[in-house]
Amino acid sequence: MSTAQHIDIDWTACQGHGLCADFLPEHITLDEWGYPLVDGAPVPADTVRRARRAAADCPVLALALIPGQAG
Protein backbone atom coordinates (compact mmCIF):
# COMPACT_ATOMS: atom_id res chain seq x y z
CA MET A 1 0.00 0.00 0.00
CA SER A 2 1.40 3.36 -1.06
CA THR A 3 1.60 6.24 1.41
CA ALA A 4 2.13 8.77 -1.35
CA GLN A 5 -0.40 11.57 -1.47
CA HIS A 6 -1.80 13.24 -4.56
CA ILE A 7 -3.64 16.49 -5.15
CA ASP A 8 -7.32 16.18 -6.00
CA ILE A 9 -9.58 18.96 -7.26
CA ASP A 10 -13.35 18.96 -6.72
CA TRP A 11 -14.32 20.44 -10.09
CA THR A 12 -17.91 21.09 -9.03
CA ALA A 13 -16.67 23.33 -6.20
CA CYS A 14 -13.62 24.99 -7.83
CA GLN A 15 -14.21 28.62 -8.82
CA GLY A 16 -10.74 29.35 -10.17
CA HIS A 17 -9.44 31.59 -7.38
CA GLY A 18 -5.89 30.31 -8.04
CA LEU A 19 -4.58 30.31 -4.46
CA CYS A 20 -3.55 26.66 -4.81
CA ALA A 21 -1.06 27.60 -7.54
CA ASP A 22 0.39 30.29 -5.25
CA PHE A 23 1.04 27.71 -2.54
CA LEU A 24 2.16 24.83 -4.81
CA PRO A 25 3.64 26.24 -8.03
CA GLU A 26 5.74 23.11 -8.52
CA HIS A 27 2.56 20.99 -8.80
CA ILE A 28 -0.19 23.35 -9.93
CA THR A 29 -0.33 25.85 -12.77
CA LEU A 30 -3.35 27.81 -13.95
CA ASP A 31 -5.08 27.67 -17.30
CA GLU A 32 -6.07 30.83 -19.15
CA TRP A 33 -9.28 31.11 -17.10
CA GLY A 34 -7.50 30.71 -13.74
CA TYR A 35 -8.45 27.10 -13.10
CA PRO A 36 -5.81 24.71 -11.73
CA LEU A 37 -3.87 22.23 -13.83
CA VAL A 38 -2.39 19.56 -11.56
CA ASP A 39 0.72 17.66 -12.67
CA GLY A 40 -0.48 14.38 -11.12
CA ALA A 41 2.85 13.65 -9.44
CA PRO A 42 2.94 12.41 -5.84
CA VAL A 43 3.40 15.19 -3.31
CA PRO A 44 6.86 14.82 -1.72
CA ALA A 45 6.97 14.52 2.06
CA ASP A 46 8.67 17.92 2.39
CA THR A 47 5.81 19.56 0.46
CA VAL A 48 2.85 17.91 2.23
CA ARG A 49 2.60 20.66 4.84
CA ARG A 50 2.22 23.36 2.16
CA ALA A 51 -0.24 21.16 0.26
CA ARG A 52 -2.39 20.80 3.37
CA ARG A 53 -2.23 24.57 3.89
CA ALA A 54 -3.31 25.12 0.27
CA ALA A 55 -6.26 22.77 0.77
CA ALA A 56 -7.28 24.48 4.01
CA ASP A 57 -6.96 27.98 2.51
CA CYS A 58 -8.96 27.25 -0.66
CA PRO A 59 -11.95 29.63 -0.43
CA VAL A 60 -14.35 26.89 -1.56
CA LEU A 61 -12.42 23.89 -0.17
CA ALA A 62 -12.07 22.38 -3.64
CA LEU A 63 -8.54 21.08 -3.06
CA ALA A 64 -7.70 17.89 -1.16
CA LEU A 65 -4.82 15.52 -0.57
CA ILE A 66 -5.70 11.90 -1.17
CA PRO A 67 -3.62 8.81 -0.46
CA GLY A 68 -2.65 6.45 -3.23
CA GLN A 69 -3.05 6.95 -6.96
CA ALA A 70 -3.89 10.28 -8.61
CA GLY A 71 -7.33 10.41 -10.00
Side-chain angles (χ1 to χ4, degrees):
M1 183 172 164
S2 174
T3 59
Q5 296 188 38
H6 291 82
I7 297 167
D8 185 50
I9 305 289
D10 176 352
W11 294 110
T12 60
C14 183
Q15 295 178 0
H17 292 276
L19 293 176
C20 53
D22 289 341
F23 280 108
L24 297 168
E26 65 272 47
H27 292 285
I28 302 173
T29 57
L30 301 177
D31 69 11
E32 63 254 36
W33 299 284
Y35 286 89
L37 301 170
V38 180
D39 68 2
V43 178
D46 62 342
T47 307
V48 168
R49 186 174 180 177
R50 280 191 296 121
R52 286 185 183 140
R53 172 82 188 266
D57 286 356
C58 176
V60 294
L61 302 176
L63 185 74
L65 281 179
I66 57 169
Q69 296 296 326

